[in-house]
Amino acid sequence: MSLLFLRRAKPLFASPPPTPASFFVSPRLTNLLRRSFHGSRIMSEAEKKILTEEELERKKKKDEKAREKELKKQKAAEKAKHAELKAKQAKDGTAAPKKSSKKSSKRDASGENPADFVDPETPLGERKRLSSQMAKQYSPAAVEKSWYAWWESSDFFKADAKSSKPPFVIVLPPPNVTGALHIGHALTAAIEDTIIRWKRMSGYNALWVPGMDHAGIATQVVVEKQLMKERGLTRHDVGREEFINEVWKWKNQHGSTILTQLRRLGASLDWSRECFTMDEQRSKAVTEGFVRFYKEGLIYRDVRLVNWDCVLKTAVSDVEIDHIDIKEKTLLKVPGYEKPVEFGLLTSFAYPLEGGLGEVVVATTRVETMLGDTAIAIHPDDARYKHLHGKFAVHPFNGRRLPIICDGILVDPNFGTGCVKITPAHDPNDCEVGKRHNLEFINILTDDGKINTNGGSDFTGMPRFAAREAVVEALKNKGLYRGAQNNEMRLGLCQRTGDVLEPMIKPQWYVNCSNIAKQALDVAITDENKKLEFIPKQYTAEWRRWLENIRDWCISRQLWWGHRIPAWYATLEEDERKEIGAYNDHWVVARTEEEARKEAAEKFSGKKFELTQDHDVLDTWFSSGLFPLSVLGWPDETDDFKAFYPTSVLETGHDILFFWVARMVMMGMKLGGDVPFSKVYLHPMIRDAHGRKMSKSLGNVIDPLEVINGVTLDGLHKRLEEGNLDPREVVVAKEGQVKDFPNGISECGADALRFALVSYTAQSDKINLDILRVVGYRQWCNKLWNAVRFAMMRLGDDYSPPLTLSPETMPFSCQWILSALNKAISKTVESLNAFEFSDAANTVYAWWQYQFCDVYIEAIKPYFAGDNPAFASERAHAQHALWVSLETGLRLLHPLMPFVTEELWQRLPSPKNSERKASIMICGYPSAIENWTNEKVETEMETVLASVKCLRALRAELLEKQKNERLPAFALCENNVTSEIVKSHELEIRTLANLSSLEVLLKGEHAAPAGSAVETVNENLKVYIKVDRAINTEAEQEKIRNKIDELQKQKEKLQKMMSVSGYEEKVPANVKEDNATKLAKILQEFDFFEKESARLVAETETLENEQQKK
């Protein structure tokens, strides 16, 4: 490989054309190029002479632009029709000649064949075919192409249940089948793939199981909308069976979108074990889990309050609710209502008391619920209402007698009137009151949110919020309305429909959680029984809070899409009430209808009955809770279940700690016999760069694929327009996009996105994601790319890496980079083991950036300059250290950046006579090698780098614009030890600081060089740089004065501490000795800078005297 590939291309004809002997482009190609630039010819020498310098420069630039344009066209053509172009070149002789075996840094870039830098097309599933030359720039799209399909087809992701390796298992939190990849999924994939690739490379039988959740509500809503849009039908119009078929059809067409997108991120999931919560094996597990829980008395049926969605006509879980806080009267749009509905009002009205005793005034934010009131509560100690104990109020619309009850738990006598209306069937607090006082529960709403016959004939059939207005009018007509005022309130909305949720009393199936929750709590907090660890540790307290206050879990959902509850209702011929569920003891639970019929025959022996399966389905979280069991084949005793249960780690967001994690632990322990995983890593939630929650209406939602592939601002706008936002929200969202992404989002690639997300994980419980940081890591990938290009040129085509290394025989810089790499390996592995992924990423980044690229590559350049025979040995050692550093560093980085590391690793030469692994991902993960560590070398390099830093600072200060000028420097050493270190590493210091020379001076034997500026490296070393022109002595004096002031403060502080009463008697001898040494060093520095100041004064006076003499 030639050095010319690191040089900028020069204009072809900026000077007289070279002779064929010195010009590596063939004469025919030269003539072709002469004719190609705008149809012009090359000017004669005579013509050139009559051009002005400015005109000639313009001509050069014009020709160069034309040449670059021509090369771009060639490159595009090569990429599209590589084979065809090769044939054409062979025919007309325009192909670039083969490279000379001699490497030449002077070779002109115009001799390059663009096709050499373009990867040939790779058939799907085959190992990527790489270009003969590395592209000069890193391109995420080019690098990340083809590798994944090859990894997958090669079964690199596949775990073996029969393997003797120790198992390591992660179950992917199953994304919804309706979903597309969002940034939260990307974070999950980045973290989990980092873990699984690291463990796979570390010798584990690593299994990462993919799966999808059937997402009951979300999927049903999507398909219902599609059905209405395409056929104008509701699910009830087509019937349950046909509707379920429609959902399966939709799932098969669209359901794998997110899994395909995970492949684009590089997620090394074992696709051979892909599962779906509604597939046959998972459905079998759900049925088995329900039946076992029921048989053990952990599942029961009861009539209780649930969160009811009147649009979906189903109960929804707490995690599917969005809460909004309302400060005052607010109009909100509610599905199914043309006009906005008022919220944030507290309406007061009077109930007349029985027997002409007057009235009591109550207040409510949901005045329509008064149609279902069955009592009025007061505080037992409220003196104002002592005379009403045991009395009744009368309902104004239906004459119902409402007992005045005393309840010290609910009622606050100091709030409002001290009287509270009680609607047990439509309010959680009132429900508890109703149970305590044995009140009647009257449901006034139909499933679709209309007033039923219990609400009275005047209101029957009205939608609930229309009834709200009608009730207020009716109260006014009866003279019972007492006004309304603003009231702060919290409103629960369904995430899927936006409907205002209604507390409704419904018969449902429940899981009794008290005992299984206690077991799940014990394994996390008791030392003698601890099996479960939370990372970060603070979530253990939240785990305790959830499980100590757990309520029984409602698992019924009034949907059609989902696991139908395996319970059958037996309607006996003798039953008076024939509706399903009328008698709670008529239910039988079984795995199949045949089993249910057999059980019912035994239970109702000798009686005729009809069996009807419960129409409801199970809460999606029930099947999700079984996921670590069901993905491994439970309830069957499969090889996978024996080999891989319990799994190793659960990684997920902290927002579903209770809704998913707790339920998996409870169900896993009960049904699987053990905790389903031993560690739970909870990642932060992602916000935008300003710390705001991502929201479509704000326009700050980030699609990972848009970051990977890049997108214009118009593209971002288009995504909004194609969504389901209100037109007014689209305007606001577009304004947000213009502000945050004025130029769209640059193409960053999967590697840069993954690395950025992982490096963000140290940010507490929230990540403020700034896309510019991702862009920065994409630019860093380019640095890696160029580092390998540099190395490949230094290694040469015939280089063969060594099988072993002997660092002790190597040059200083080589020993140092291996020792630094060893330290980076240890720190990275330690961080990964501690789940400190950000630290691991930062450690790898720091080694590559600050040690390998910034120092080592620069330090070894003299060995390769001009093939100097004096450096032959150093050059060979540097090649070996270079190859080992690259190969090991790429393996160290691979779990974080799989694509670019695979591509670069594949380009590295491999040792002869040793079998090379097919892929970097199945190589061993680096581990520290004892004889690489060299603390002495690292300490000396610290001195070298500190000296270089000071010298560079001096250069910047003295040279201003002429920063590339090489200057002589001096190192003034306090002692022989420091002097020897600096002398032995003079080449490294001179190279890294870009010096013309470095002279080592010993204090006491040499004076500071005249006309130079000084910088302190440490107490034993000062460095000087000398310039030909006069230095700014005033600036130097100011610098010295500041240093003396700083030393003065240190001295005073230390002397004050050493002069306190009892210092000599009470302070340990070693501390006193340290303090005395520190003081001596401070005084020594004082002395040095005072002398430097005097030197500068003397030099200034001498200079002035010389100028006066002139």
Side-chain angles (χ1 to χ4, degrees), residues 441-510:
F441 284 64
I442 299 176
N443 173 37
I444 61 163
L445 294 175
T446 60
D447 287 352
D448 59 353
K450 294 185 174 69
I451 305 298
N452 63 21
T453 55
N454 291 334
S457 58
D458 292 342
F459 307 102
T460 299
M462 285 186 182
R464 55 189 163 144
F465 296 125
R468 178 175 293 182
E469 296 177 357
V471 168
V472 169
E473 281 302 310
L475 288 169
K476 288 179 178 178
N477 292 337
K478 288 184 176 290
L480 298 174
Y481 180 74
R482 296 294 180 263
Q485 64 187 63
N486 287 334
N487 183 73
E488 287 190 29
M489 63 180 298
R490 200 160 202 234
L491 206 59
L493 307 178
C494 177
Q495 287 178 345
R496 304 295 174 190
T497 63
D499 190 30
V500 176
L501 294 172
E502 194 71 41
M504 293 265 275
I505 198 83
K506 288 283 181 181
Q508 306 279 285
W509 293 95
Y510 289 87

Side-chain angles (χ1 to χ4, degrees), residues 17 101 129 164 178 184 211 340 361 421 431 562 638 665 764 1025:
S101 58
R129 298 176 183 179
S164 60
T178 55
V361 177
K421 62 183 283 299
C431 181
T638 63
V665 174
S764 183
I1025 279 187

Side-chain angles (χ1 to χ4, degrees), residues 811 862-865 867-880:
Y863 302 152
F864 296 91
D867 291 338
N868 188 340
F871 284 136
S873 173
E874 288 84 351
R875 188 160 47 248
H877 283 307
Q879 285 180 316
H880 295 335

Side-chain angles (χ1 to χ4, degrees), residues 790 794 810-815 856-879 881 984-985 987-988 991:
F790 168 88
R794 295 302 184 262
M810 290 182 153
F812 169 73
S813 57
C814 299
Q815 292 186 47
Y856 181 66
I857 281 181
E858 298 300 320
I860 63 173
K861 282 182 178 178
Y863 302 152
F864 296 91
D867 291 338
N868 188 340
F871 284 136
S873 173
E874 288 84 351
R875 188 160 47 248
H877 283 307
Q879 285 180 316
S984 61
H985 307 313
L987 176 62
E988 286 81 7
T991 302

Side-chain angles (χ1 to χ4, degrees), residues 94 436 729 748 1050:
T94 59
R436 287 197 292 272
E729 291 179 316
C748 295
Q1050 293 177 15

Side-chain angles (χ1 to χ4, degrees), residues 640-696:
D640 274 7
F641 187 74
K642 293 173 188 173
F644 298 121
Y645 190 87
T647 68
S648 308
V649 174
L650 174 75
E651 188 282 335
T652 188
H654 64 76
D655 56 327
I656 52 174
L657 176 63
F658 172 71
F659 298 104
W660 188 41
V661 182
R663 287 162 177 170
M664 280 190 288
V665 174
M666 291 188 292
M667 298 177 86
M669 291 181 68
K670 189 66 183 175
L671 298 172
D674 202 350
V675 290
F677 30 74
S678 56
K679 294 183 189 298
V680 179
Y681 176 81
L682 298 162
H683 66 237
M685 297 293 101
I686 300 183
R687 304 294 181 100
D688 70 7
H690 313 291
R692 301 173 303 175
K693 187 176 180 181
M694 289 193 180
S695 162
K696 290 179 183 177

